[in-house]
Amino acid sequence: MSGHKLGIMKSLKALSPIKITAIYMLVGGLWILLSDRLLVAFVRDPEVLTHMQTLKGWIYVAVTAVLLYLLISYNTMVIRHSEQAMRESEERYRQTVENSPNPIFSVDREGVIQSWNKACENIFQYSRKEVIGAKYHMLLNPEERRTIEGMLNQVFEEKRSFSNVEISYRCRDGTERFMVSRLYPLLDYEGWVKACVFANTDVTERKRAEEELKRAYEKLQRAHEELKTLDEMKSNIIANVSHELRTPITIAKGAIELVMDEKDQKKRKELLKIALNALLRQNFIVEDLLQAARLERGEMKLEKVDMANLINRVTEEFRPMLMKNNIQMEKNVEEGLFATADPNQIEHVLRNLITNAIKFNKPGGSVIIEAQKRGDMVEVCVSDTGIGIPEDQQEKIFERFYQVDSSPSRRYGGTGMGLAIVKEIVEAHGGKVTVESRPGEGSRFCFTVPAARWEE
Ligand code: ADP
């Protein structure tokens, strides 16, 4: 059919029964009216008139029969054509849906799947055969069912459409796909809603990329915050370390200057002792810094260590400091306790813990050192009756450079490196450091190192 004809056909409409009846009556009425007048006007002979009347009846039947035939043929042609046009448009729609890269399916009033395109097969991994006739619930997460069901009701009851609905679908292999969907009614010839179409756009990759971006951004923000804190800490550390290194130099320098002018041997000796102690303190800080560097390089020499011996050696060094601070020391060490460890590093650990136990103690307080075997490990504990550590800081004190009080006006000296190094050394040996503390009452630090086996 040519385009022009097709255009005309499209504009034609089937006649309703009322119109057909009206045309029929009009033509029939006109025929009766005109034929009677014509007969009366032209035929004078009454006999001929009677014959003509009968003929007129037959012609009436023939004319109205032709008229009815034409009207019915016309209607049939128009209806057939509009059905074909409808079929063609349905086929076009079907093919567009079928070949769409987006997953599109439709469901009936009961939620039973009616159509399922190729993209649906690819993405949801269910073949058309498997899903047609099944409920669309199988594709939804249980939490989303209620919302979608509400929308579906409105599509069927009110012919409403919904755009930009975010739905997370579940595929056959259990993976989740995020889609932005449009729900709209599909009408039949008479305008009834025969199905609800779900036209989905798969945005899973975009959503994942967005989430990843969000996570990366949050990570970046956290890193930025950490850097900011580290920067603040760095300023404090530099100030503290410089202060800690300068104090002994000032003390030693002052003491030596006084020695030069001092004649009294006893006083000179005392001054030199002060200078020596200051230098020892400085040496301790430098040792801490060096130990940190050594740990970073992973240097460790393991041997069988007599723990009672090691503890005696280290505690002996603290005698002057204990006396000066008026602090008692108690020892409770199991005999025959051997560990597999690097003795220099374990001495360093012990020295750090005892220094803190004295430094953060109260005058007249006490320090208790205990050592015993615990399964395959040797446990050493240093307890004090000092100021204690607030609970929320008990984990943080093991971080490098962390100090409960790191203000420039703080009461206790130190670099905040000691416990971080203690933790690193102990963990490098395969042990653990723990702390129990009550502010105002004291602290107890314990560490473990592997016990030596008898054959070692
Ligand atoms: P430093 O003693 O050089 O400041 P540490 O790493 O040895 O560094 O200790 C970190 C912080 O932990 C100290 O500044 C202090 O606030 C707290 N701390 C450590 N040991 C004790 C203790 N025995 N009693 C109270 N507080 C302690």
mmCIF file with all atom_site columns, all heavy atoms in Angstrom, residues 356-357 359-360 384 387-389 397 402-404 413-419 443 445, ligand 1:
data_model
loop_
_atom_site.group_PDB
_atom_site.id
_atom_site.type_symbol
_atom_site.label_atom_id
_atom_site.label_alt_id
_atom_site.label_comp_id
_atom_site.label_asym_id
_atom_site.label_entity_id
_atom_site.label_seq_id
_atom_site.pdbx_PDB_ins_code
_atom_site.Cartn_x
_atom_site.Cartn_y
_atom_site.Cartn_z
_atom_site.occupancy
_atom_site.B_iso_or_equiv
_atom_site.pdbx_formal_charge
_atom_site.auth_seq_id
_atom_site.auth_comp_id
_atom_site.auth_asym_id
_atom_site.auth_atom_id
_atom_site.pdbx_PDB_model_num
ATOM   1   N N   . ASN A 1 356 ? 59.925 4.406  84.077 1.00 0.00 ? 356 ASN A N   1
ATOM   2   C CA  . ASN A 1 356 ? 58.567 4.965  84.170 1.00 0.00 ? 356 ASN A CA  1
ATOM   3   C C   . ASN A 1 356 ? 57.967 4.725  85.551 1.00 0.00 ? 356 ASN A C   1
ATOM   4   O O   . ASN A 1 356 ? 57.309 5.599  86.111 1.00 0.00 ? 356 ASN A O   1
ATOM   5   C CB  . ASN A 1 356 ? 57.655 4.340  83.115 1.00 0.00 ? 356 ASN A CB  1
ATOM   6   C CG  . ASN A 1 356 ? 57.904 4.940  81.736 1.00 0.00 ? 356 ASN A CG  1
ATOM   7   O OD1 . ASN A 1 356 ? 58.548 5.968  81.608 1.00 0.00 ? 356 ASN A OD1 1
ATOM   8   N ND2 . ASN A 1 356 ? 57.405 4.283  80.707 1.00 0.00 ? 356 ASN A ND2 1
ATOM   9   N N   . ALA A 1 357 ? 58.184 3.505  86.090 1.00 0.00 ? 357 ALA A N   1
ATOM   10  C CA  . ALA A 1 357 ? 57.603 3.161  87.398 1.00 0.00 ? 357 ALA A CA  1
ATOM   11  C C   . ALA A 1 357 ? 58.142 4.082  88.493 1.00 0.00 ? 357 ALA A C   1
ATOM   12  O O   . ALA A 1 357 ? 57.439 4.386  89.460 1.00 0.00 ? 357 ALA A O   1
ATOM   13  C CB  . ALA A 1 357 ? 57.891 1.706  87.725 1.00 0.00 ? 357 ALA A CB  1
ATOM   14  N N   . LYS A 1 359 ? 59.597 7.234  87.714 1.00 0.00 ? 359 LYS A N   1
ATOM   15  C CA  . LYS A 1 359 ? 59.295 8.605  87.287 1.00 0.00 ? 359 LYS A CA  1
ATOM   16  C C   . LYS A 1 359 ? 57.860 9.004  87.619 1.00 0.00 ? 359 LYS A C   1
ATOM   17  O O   . LYS A 1 359 ? 57.604 10.115 88.063 1.00 0.00 ? 359 LYS A O   1
ATOM   18  C CB  . LYS A 1 359 ? 59.538 8.695  85.770 1.00 0.00 ? 359 LYS A CB  1
ATOM   19  C CG  . LYS A 1 359 ? 59.514 10.095 85.223 1.00 0.00 ? 359 LYS A CG  1
ATOM   20  C CD  . LYS A 1 359 ? 60.163 10.165 83.850 1.00 0.00 ? 359 LYS A CD  1
ATOM   21  C CE  . LYS A 1 359 ? 59.238 9.631  82.772 1.00 0.00 ? 359 LYS A CE  1
ATOM   22  N NZ  . LYS A 1 359 ? 59.787 9.800  81.418 1.00 0.00 ? 359 LYS A NZ  1
ATOM   23  N N   . PHE A 1 360 ? 56.914 8.074  87.362 1.00 0.00 ? 360 PHE A N   1
ATOM   24  C CA  . PHE A 1 360 ? 55.508 8.432  87.575 1.00 0.00 ? 360 PHE A CA  1
ATOM   25  C C   . PHE A 1 360 ? 55.001 7.962  88.953 1.00 0.00 ? 360 PHE A C   1
ATOM   26  O O   . PHE A 1 360 ? 53.807 7.844  89.155 1.00 0.00 ? 360 PHE A O   1
ATOM   27  C CB  . PHE A 1 360 ? 54.641 7.843  86.450 1.00 0.00 ? 360 PHE A CB  1
ATOM   28  C CG  . PHE A 1 360 ? 54.988 8.403  85.101 1.00 0.00 ? 360 PHE A CG  1
ATOM   29  C CD1 . PHE A 1 360 ? 55.720 7.663  84.168 1.00 0.00 ? 360 PHE A CD1 1
ATOM   30  C CD2 . PHE A 1 360 ? 54.612 9.700  84.758 1.00 0.00 ? 360 PHE A CD2 1
ATOM   31  C CE1 . PHE A 1 360 ? 56.042 8.190  82.925 1.00 0.00 ? 360 PHE A CE1 1
ATOM   32  C CE2 . PHE A 1 360 ? 54.933 10.228 83.511 1.00 0.00 ? 360 PHE A CE2 1
ATOM   33  C CZ  . PHE A 1 360 ? 55.661 9.472  82.592 1.00 0.00 ? 360 PHE A CZ  1
ATOM   34  N N   . ASP A 1 384 ? 53.778 -0.343 90.027 1.00 0.00 ? 384 ASP A N   1
ATOM   35  C CA  . ASP A 1 384 ? 54.144 0.828  90.831 1.00 0.00 ? 384 ASP A CA  1
ATOM   36  C C   . ASP A 1 384 ? 52.930 1.350  91.571 1.00 0.00 ? 384 ASP A C   1
ATOM   37  O O   . ASP A 1 384 ? 51.795 0.932  91.312 1.00 0.00 ? 384 ASP A O   1
ATOM   38  C CB  . ASP A 1 384 ? 54.771 1.905  89.940 1.00 0.00 ? 384 ASP A CB  1
ATOM   39  C CG  . ASP A 1 384 ? 53.805 2.468  88.921 1.00 0.00 ? 384 ASP A CG  1
ATOM   40  O OD1 . ASP A 1 384 ? 52.780 3.041  89.341 1.00 0.00 ? 384 ASP A OD1 1
ATOM   41  O OD2 . ASP A 1 384 ? 54.071 2.324  87.696 1.00 0.00 ? 384 ASP A OD2 1
ATOM   42  N N   . ILE A 1 387 ? 50.961 7.530  89.745 1.00 0.00 ? 387 ILE A N   1
ATOM   43  C CA  . ILE A 1 387 ? 49.790 8.348  89.385 1.00 0.00 ? 387 ILE A CA  1
ATOM   44  C C   . ILE A 1 387 ? 48.749 7.585  88.551 1.00 0.00 ? 387 ILE A C   1
ATOM   45  O O   . ILE A 1 387 ? 47.610 8.014  88.454 1.00 0.00 ? 387 ILE A O   1
ATOM   46  C CB  . ILE A 1 387 ? 50.224 9.622  88.607 1.00 0.00 ? 387 ILE A CB  1
ATOM   47  C CG1 . ILE A 1 387 ? 50.995 9.243  87.334 1.00 0.00 ? 387 ILE A CG1 1
ATOM   48  C CG2 . ILE A 1 387 ? 51.036 10.550 89.482 1.00 0.00 ? 387 ILE A CG2 1
ATOM   49  C CD1 . ILE A 1 387 ? 51.223 10.416 86.393 1.00 0.00 ? 387 ILE A CD1 1
ATOM   50  N N   . GLY A 1 388 ? 49.159 6.478  87.941 1.00 0.00 ? 388 GLY A N   1
ATOM   51  C CA  . GLY A 1 388 ? 48.219 5.688  87.137 1.00 0.00 ? 388 GLY A CA  1
ATOM   52  C C   . GLY A 1 388 ? 47.945 6.336  85.781 1.00 0.00 ? 388 GLY A C   1
ATOM   53  O O   . GLY A 1 388 ? 48.414 7.444  85.492 1.00 0.00 ? 388 GLY A O   1
ATOM   54  N N   . ILE A 1 389 ? 47.192 5.603  84.955 1.00 0.00 ? 389 ILE A N   1
ATOM   55  C CA  . ILE A 1 389 ? 46.919 6.074  83.580 1.00 0.00 ? 389 ILE A CA  1
ATOM   56  C C   . ILE A 1 389 ? 45.410 6.004  83.334 1.00 0.00 ? 389 ILE A C   1
ATOM   57  O O   . ILE A 1 389 ? 44.801 4.947  83.578 1.00 0.00 ? 389 ILE A O   1
ATOM   58  C CB  . ILE A 1 389 ? 47.646 5.176  82.547 1.00 0.00 ? 389 ILE A CB  1
ATOM   59  C CG1 . ILE A 1 389 ? 49.140 5.121  82.863 1.00 0.00 ? 389 ILE A CG1 1
ATOM   60  C CG2 . ILE A 1 389 ? 47.421 5.664  81.125 1.00 0.00 ? 389 ILE A CG2 1
ATOM   61  C CD1 . ILE A 1 389 ? 49.829 3.893  82.339 1.00 0.00 ? 389 ILE A CD1 1
ATOM   62  N N   . ILE A 1 397 ? 49.266 4.871  74.915 1.00 0.00 ? 397 ILE A N   1
ATOM   63  C CA  . ILE A 1 397 ? 50.631 5.115  75.411 1.00 0.00 ? 397 ILE A CA  1
ATOM   64  C C   . ILE A 1 397 ? 51.668 4.235  74.710 1.00 0.00 ? 397 ILE A C   1
ATOM   65  O O   . ILE A 1 397 ? 52.852 4.527  74.787 1.00 0.00 ? 397 ILE A O   1
ATOM   66  C CB  . ILE A 1 397 ? 50.735 4.927  76.954 1.00 0.00 ? 397 ILE A CB  1
ATOM   67  C CG1 . ILE A 1 397 ? 50.178 3.557  77.341 1.00 0.00 ? 397 ILE A CG1 1
ATOM   68  C CG2 . ILE A 1 397 ? 50.037 6.052  77.688 1.00 0.00 ? 397 ILE A CG2 1
ATOM   69  C CD1 . ILE A 1 397 ? 50.455 3.210  78.788 1.00 0.00 ? 397 ILE A CD1 1
ATOM   70  N N   . TYR A 1 402 ? 53.636 9.111  72.025 1.00 0.00 ? 402 TYR A N   1
ATOM   71  C CA  . TYR A 1 402 ? 52.442 9.487  72.770 1.00 0.00 ? 402 TYR A CA  1
ATOM   72  C C   . TYR A 1 402 ? 52.777 9.677  74.244 1.00 0.00 ? 402 TYR A C   1
ATOM   73  O O   . TYR A 1 402 ? 53.468 8.874  74.849 1.00 0.00 ? 402 TYR A O   1
ATOM   74  C CB  . TYR A 1 402 ? 51.341 8.419  72.624 1.00 0.00 ? 402 TYR A CB  1
ATOM   75  C CG  . TYR A 1 402 ? 50.035 8.914  73.190 1.00 0.00 ? 402 TYR A CG  1
ATOM   76  C CD1 . TYR A 1 402 ? 49.160 9.651  72.399 1.00 0.00 ? 402 TYR A CD1 1
ATOM   77  C CD2 . TYR A 1 402 ? 49.713 8.713  74.535 1.00 0.00 ? 402 TYR A CD2 1
ATOM   78  C CE1 . TYR A 1 402 ? 47.980 10.155 72.924 1.00 0.00 ? 402 TYR A CE1 1
ATOM   79  C CE2 . TYR A 1 402 ? 48.531 9.216  75.066 1.00 0.00 ? 402 TYR A CE2 1
ATOM   80  C CZ  . TYR A 1 402 ? 47.685 9.933  74.254 1.00 0.00 ? 402 TYR A CZ  1
ATOM   81  O OH  . TYR A 1 402 ? 46.535 10.444 74.786 1.00 0.00 ? 402 TYR A OH  1
ATOM   82  N N   . GLN A 1 403 ? 52.251 10.769 74.822 1.00 0.00 ? 403 GLN A N   1
ATOM   83  C CA  . GLN A 1 403 ? 52.408 11.000 76.255 1.00 0.00 ? 403 GLN A CA  1
ATOM   84  C C   . GLN A 1 403 ? 51.061 11.446 76.794 1.00 0.00 ? 403 GLN A C   1
ATOM   85  O O   . GLN A 1 403 ? 50.339 12.188 76.124 1.00 0.00 ? 403 GLN A O   1
ATOM   86  C CB  . GLN A 1 403 ? 53.435 12.120 76.489 1.00 0.00 ? 403 GLN A CB  1
ATOM   87  C CG  . GLN A 1 403 ? 54.828 11.716 76.013 1.00 0.00 ? 403 GLN A CG  1
ATOM   88  C CD  . GLN A 1 403 ? 55.851 12.794 76.273 1.00 0.00 ? 403 GLN A CD  1
ATOM   89  O OE1 . GLN A 1 403 ? 55.641 13.932 75.883 1.00 0.00 ? 403 GLN A OE1 1
ATOM   90  N NE2 . GLN A 1 403 ? 56.938 12.434 76.915 1.00 0.00 ? 403 GLN A NE2 1
ATOM   91  N N   . VAL A 1 404 ? 50.695 10.960 77.994 1.00 0.00 ? 404 VAL A N   1
ATOM   92  C CA  . VAL A 1 404 ? 49.401 11.357 78.562 1.00 0.00 ? 404 VAL A CA  1
ATOM   93  C C   . VAL A 1 404 ? 49.387 12.879 78.663 1.00 0.00 ? 404 VAL A C   1
ATOM   94  O O   . VAL A 1 404 ? 48.417 13.535 78.309 1.00 0.00 ? 404 VAL A O   1
ATOM   95  C CB  . VAL A 1 404 ? 49.187 10.690 79.942 1.00 0.00 ? 404 VAL A CB  1
ATOM   96  C CG1 . VAL A 1 404 ? 47.940 11.238 80.609 1.00 0.00 ? 404 VAL A CG1 1
ATOM   97  C CG2 . VAL A 1 404 ? 49.080 9.173  79.771 1.00 0.00 ? 404 VAL A CG2 1
ATOM   98  N N   . GLY A 1 413 ? 59.454 14.573 82.458 1.00 0.00 ? 413 GLY A N   1
ATOM   99  C CA  . GLY A 1 413 ? 60.242 14.615 81.216 1.00 0.00 ? 413 GLY A CA  1
ATOM   100 C C   . GLY A 1 413 ? 60.019 13.360 80.404 1.00 0.00 ? 413 GLY A C   1
ATOM   101 O O   . GLY A 1 413 ? 59.287 12.462 80.815 1.00 0.00 ? 413 GLY A O   1
ATOM   102 N N   . GLY A 1 414 ? 60.649 13.281 79.221 1.00 0.00 ? 414 GLY A N   1
ATOM   103 C CA  . GLY A 1 414 ? 60.520 12.066 78.398 1.00 0.00 ? 414 GLY A CA  1
ATOM   104 C C   . GLY A 1 414 ? 60.196 12.422 76.971 1.00 0.00 ? 414 GLY A C   1
ATOM   105 O O   . GLY A 1 414 ? 59.848 13.562 76.672 1.00 0.00 ? 414 GLY A O   1
ATOM   106 N N   . THR A 1 415 ? 60.341 11.402 76.099 1.00 0.00 ? 415 THR A N   1
ATOM   107 C CA  . THR A 1 415 ? 60.131 11.650 74.667 1.00 0.00 ? 415 THR A CA  1
ATOM   108 C C   . THR A 1 415 ? 58.891 10.949 74.130 1.00 0.00 ? 415 THR A C   1
ATOM   109 O O   . THR A 1 415 ? 58.472 11.177 73.011 1.00 0.00 ? 415 THR A O   1
ATOM   110 C CB  . THR A 1 415 ? 61.342 11.135 73.867 1.00 0.00 ? 415 THR A CB  1
ATOM   111 O OG1 . THR A 1 415 ? 61.509 9.753  74.203 1.00 0.00 ? 415 THR A OG1 1
ATOM   112 C CG2 . THR A 1 415 ? 62.591 11.913 74.170 1.00 0.00 ? 415 THR A CG2 1
ATOM   113 N N   . GLY A 1 416 ? 58.296 10.049 74.937 1.00 0.00 ? 416 GLY A N   1
ATOM   114 C CA  . GLY A 1 416 ? 57.117 9.322  74.457 1.00 0.00 ? 416 GLY A CA  1
ATOM   115 C C   . GLY A 1 416 ? 57.502 8.178  73.528 1.00 0.00 ? 416 GLY A C   1
ATOM   116 O O   . GLY A 1 416 ? 56.661 7.598  72.855 1.00 0.00 ? 416 GLY A O   1
ATOM   117 N N   . MET A 1 417 ? 58.804 7.816  73.510 1.00 0.00 ? 417 MET A N   1
ATOM   118 C CA  . MET A 1 417 ? 59.281 6.735  72.623 1.00 0.00 ? 417 MET A CA  1
ATOM   119 C C   . MET A 1 417 ? 59.340 5.401  73.354 1.00 0.00 ? 417 MET A C   1
ATOM   120 O O   . MET A 1 417 ? 59.211 4.339  72.756 1.00 0.00 ? 417 MET A O   1
ATOM   121 C CB  . MET A 1 417 ? 60.721 7.039  72.172 1.00 0.00 ? 417 MET A CB  1
ATOM   122 C CG  . MET A 1 417 ? 60.877 8.261  71.337 1.00 0.00 ? 417 MET A CG  1
ATOM   123 S SD  . MET A 1 417 ? 60.875 7.792  69.637 1.00 0.00 ? 417 MET A SD  1
ATOM   124 C CE  . MET A 1 417 ? 62.344 6.784  69.559 1.00 0.00 ? 417 MET A CE  1
ATOM   125 N N   . GLY A 1 418 ? 59.589 5.494  74.693 1.00 0.00 ? 418 GLY A N   1
ATOM   126 C CA  . GLY A 1 418 ? 59.917 4.307  75.482 1.00 0.00 ? 418 GLY A CA  1
ATOM   127 C C   . GLY A 1 418 ? 58.972 3.142  75.289 1.00 0.00 ? 418 GLY A C   1
ATOM   128 O O   . GLY A 1 418 ? 59.397 2.054  74.887 1.00 0.00 ? 418 GLY A O   1
ATOM   129 N N   . LEU A 1 419 ? 57.674 3.343  75.541 1.00 0.00 ? 419 LEU A N   1
ATOM   130 C CA  . LEU A 1 419 ? 56.734 2.211  75.497 1.00 0.00 ? 419 LEU A CA  1
ATOM   131 C C   . LEU A 1 419 ? 56.530 1.676  74.082 1.00 0.00 ? 419 LEU A C   1
ATOM   132 O O   . LEU A 1 419 ? 56.307 0.486  73.900 1.00 0.00 ? 419 LEU A O   1
ATOM   133 C CB  . LEU A 1 419 ? 55.393 2.608  76.113 1.00 0.00 ? 419 LEU A CB  1
ATOM   134 C CG  . LEU A 1 419 ? 55.405 2.747  77.643 1.00 0.00 ? 419 LEU A CG  1
ATOM   135 C CD1 . LEU A 1 419 ? 54.024 3.149  78.143 1.00 0.00 ? 419 LEU A CD1 1
ATOM   136 C CD2 . LEU A 1 419 ? 55.822 1.432  78.305 1.00 0.00 ? 419 LEU A CD2 1
ATOM   137 N N   . SER A 1 443 ? 50.162 1.513  88.464 1.00 0.00 ? 443 SER A N   1
ATOM   138 C CA  . SER A 1 443 ? 50.094 0.783  87.198 1.00 0.00 ? 443 SER A CA  1
ATOM   139 C C   . SER A 1 443 ? 50.884 -0.511 87.301 1.00 0.00 ? 443 SER A C   1
ATOM   140 O O   . SER A 1 443 ? 51.788 -0.644 88.130 1.00 0.00 ? 443 SER A O   1
ATOM   141 C CB  . SER A 1 443 ? 50.700 1.613  86.061 1.00 0.00 ? 443 SER A CB  1
ATOM   142 O OG  . SER A 1 443 ? 50.214 2.917  86.088 1.00 0.00 ? 443 SER A OG  1
ATOM   143 N N   . PHE A 1 445 ? 52.715 -3.057 84.455 1.00 0.00 ? 445 PHE A N   1
ATOM   144 C CA  . PHE A 1 445 ? 53.052 -3.411 83.072 1.00 0.00 ? 445 PHE A CA  1
ATOM   145 C C   . PHE A 1 445 ? 53.631 -4.823 83.078 1.00 0.00 ? 445 PHE A C   1
ATOM   146 O O   . PHE A 1 445 ? 54.515 -5.115 83.897 1.00 0.00 ? 445 PHE A O   1
ATOM   147 C CB  . PHE A 1 445 ? 54.104 -2.453 82.501 1.00 0.00 ? 445 PHE A CB  1
ATOM   148 C CG  . PHE A 1 445 ? 53.542 -1.091 82.150 1.00 0.00 ? 445 PHE A CG  1
ATOM   149 C CD1 . PHE A 1 445 ? 53.397 -0.105 83.108 1.00 0.00 ? 445 PHE A CD1 1
ATOM   150 C CD2 . PHE A 1 445 ? 53.169 -0.808 80.845 1.00 0.00 ? 445 PHE A CD2 1
ATOM   151 C CE1 . PHE A 1 445 ? 52.881 1.142  82.792 1.00 0.00 ? 445 PHE A CE1 1
ATOM   152 C CE2 . PHE A 1 445 ? 52.651 0.430  80.510 1.00 0.00 ? 445 PHE A CE2 1
ATOM   153 C CZ  . PHE A 1 445 ? 52.497 1.413  81.490 1.00 0.00 ? 445 PHE A CZ  1
HETATM 154 P P1  . ADP B 2 .   ? 57.996 8.881  78.161 1.00 0.00 ? 1   ADP B P1  1
HETATM 155 O O1  . ADP B 2 .   ? 58.045 8.230  79.496 1.00 0.00 ? 1   ADP B O1  1
HETATM 156 O O2  . ADP B 2 .   ? 59.314 9.166  77.570 1.00 0.00 ? 1   ADP B O2  1
HETATM 157 O O3  . ADP B 2 .   ? 57.056 10.037 78.100 1.00 0.00 ? 1   ADP B O3  1
HETATM 158 P P2  . ADP B 2 .   ? 56.831 6.356  77.350 1.00 0.00 ? 1   ADP B P2  1
HETATM 159 O O4  . ADP B 2 .   ? 56.516 5.804  75.995 1.00 0.00 ? 1   ADP B O4  1
HETATM 160 O O5  . ADP B 2 .   ? 57.746 5.543  78.218 1.00 0.00 ? 1   ADP B O5  1
HETATM 161 O O6  . ADP B 2 .   ? 57.383 7.825  77.155 1.00 0.00 ? 1   ADP B O6  1
HETATM 162 O O7  . ADP B 2 .   ? 55.456 6.543  78.093 1.00 0.00 ? 1   ADP B O7  1
HETATM 163 C C1  . ADP B 2 .   ? 54.406 7.191  77.438 1.00 0.00 ? 1   ADP B C1  1
HETATM 164 C C2  . ADP B 2 .   ? 53.454 7.812  78.424 1.00 0.00 ? 1   ADP B C2  1
HETATM 165 O O8  . ADP B 2 .   ? 52.783 6.798  79.159 1.00 0.00 ? 1   ADP B O8  1
HETATM 166 C C3  . ADP B 2 .   ? 54.141 8.638  79.474 1.00 0.00 ? 1   ADP B C3  1
HETATM 167 O O9  . ADP B 2 .   ? 54.376 9.968  79.015 1.00 0.00 ? 1   ADP B O9  1
HETATM 168 C C4  . ADP B 2 .   ? 53.131 8.604  80.597 1.00 0.00 ? 1   ADP B C4  1
HETATM 169 O O10 . ADP B 2 .   ? 52.133 9.559  80.382 1.00 0.00 ? 1   ADP B O10 1
HETATM 170 C C5  . ADP B 2 .   ? 52.509 7.218  80.480 1.00 0.00 ? 1   ADP B C5  1
HETATM 171 N N1  . ADP B 2 .   ? 53.143 6.227  81.392 1.00 0.00 ? 1   ADP B N1  1
HETATM 172 C C6  . ADP B 2 .   ? 54.067 5.281  81.102 1.00 0.00 ? 1   ADP B C6  1
HETATM 173 N N2  . ADP B 2 .   ? 54.373 4.536  82.169 1.00 0.00 ? 1   ADP B N2  1
HETATM 174 C C7  . ADP B 2 .   ? 53.651 5.000  83.181 1.00 0.00 ? 1   ADP B C7  1
HETATM 175 C C8  . ADP B 2 .   ? 53.493 4.638  84.579 1.00 0.00 ? 1   ADP B C8  1
HETATM 176 N N3  . ADP B 2 .   ? 54.210 3.632  85.135 1.00 0.00 ? 1   ADP B N3  1
HETATM 177 N N4  . ADP B 2 .   ? 52.632 5.350  85.323 1.00 0.00 ? 1   ADP B N4  1
HETATM 178 C C9  . ADP B 2 .   ? 51.933 6.365  84.784 1.00 0.00 ? 1   ADP B C9  1
HETATM 179 N N5  . ADP B 2 .   ? 51.990 6.750  83.491 1.00 0.00 ? 1   ADP B N5  1
HETATM 180 C C10 . ADP B 2 .   ? 52.840 6.092  82.695 1.00 0.00 ? 1   ADP B C10 1
#
